Amino acid sequence: MIKFIKENIATILLVITIIIVAVIVVLKDKNEKEENTYDLSKVKIVDIKEATKLYADVEPHFFIIARDTCSACQSFLPAVNELIDKYKIEVYYIDLLKMDREGEDYEAFTKLLNYTYEYDGQVGTMDKFIGYTPMLLISSNNDTIYGSLGSMSTSALEPVLREYSIIK
């Protein structure tokens, strides 16, 4: 047996290596499928130019600025989707990773983020916190009437959306 192993060590190591690589590929594929649960099919994806136009409405609108690589965003989106299903509300999603942070559109949009907020010892208007995700915004009549950072449960988000007439 030892003689056989010595004579075929290269082949044995090659077979073991192939098995290890196959296991890694299968596990990686399984993890990617499990992690890809960021369902944007229920939200309306808008860019900042469209969001700026929606801000002008008297009727309040609910926006989320987020990114699919953010773990807090990943945990928050199912709560949002649950409320969309339950109340048939419209939620506008702005992808932070696709947001052009230069030019007139960005400047016009950030001027609307005038809601004062305190986060982690910092106080400022919401435009100072662009990049922190998820960012929740409720707008009406060219004004941010509510802003928040971070994930919320369905039970925490529902009263906020009710208070600002997103849920009627």
Side-chain angles (χ1 to χ4, degrees):
M1 179 72 149
I2 294 176
K3 182 179 177 188
F4 175 80
I5 292 173
K6 285 182 179 178
E7 290 174 356
N8 295 296
I9 192 72
T11 305
I12 292 169
L13 289 176
L14 179 63
V15 169
I16 290 171
T17 303
I18 290 170
I19 291 170
I20 290 171
V21 168
V23 167
I24 290 171
V25 168
V26 167
L27 290 176
K28 183 177 183 245
D29 186 51
K30 182 181 179 229
N31 285 340
E32 285 177 1
K33 286 178 184 173
E34 287 174 2
E35 290 175 9
N36 193 13
T37 58
Y38 201 69
D39 181 11
L40 295 175
S41 65
K42 297 177 183 178
V43 297
K44 182 166 185 188
I45 299 171
V46 296
D47 61 23
I48 55 177
K49 190 172 191 168
E50 293 169 291
T52 301
K53 289 178 186 174
L54 289 164
Y55 252 74
D57 290 351
V58 173
E59 178 184 338
H61 295 295
F62 177 42
F63 296 89
I64 302 167
I65 299 176
R67 55 190 168 87
D68 63 359
T69 57
C70 159
S71 61
C73 302
Q74 292 169 0
S75 69
F76 178 59
L77 196 56
V80 171
N81 285 337
E82 183 179 330
L83 292 175
I84 290 171
D85 288 341
K86 185 174 181 179
Y87 295 105
K88 308 300 181 222
I89 59 173
E90 201 156 61
V91 177
Y92 298 95
Y93 179 92
I94 302 168
D95 189 332
L96 180 68
L97 299 177
K98 294 179 182 173
M99 182 186 292
D100 182 5
R101 295 194 196 189
E102 296 180 14
E104 294 175 12
D105 292 338
Y106 182 75
E107 188 176 320
F109 179 68
T110 56
K111 282 182 181 177
L112 298 169
L113 305 182
N114 53 5
Y115 184 84
T116 302
Y117 189 74
E118 181 178 348
Y119 181 76
D120 200 23
Q122 302 174 54
V123 177
T125 52
M126 293 304 286
D127 63 311
K128 304 294 185 239
F129 296 104
I130 292 277
Y132 293 79
T133 55
M135 178 181 281
L136 292 59
L137 303 167
I138 298 177
S139 72
S140 176
N141 204 22
N142 280 325
D143 195 17
T144 301
I145 57 175
Y146 175 83
S148 179
L149 297 173
S151 182
M152 295 174 104
S153 66
T154 305
S155 61
L157 181 58
E158 192 169 359
V160 171
L161 296 181
R162 194 175 303 285
E163 178 181 346
Y164 291 97
S165 301
I166 301 296
I167 295 174
K168 296 178 171 85

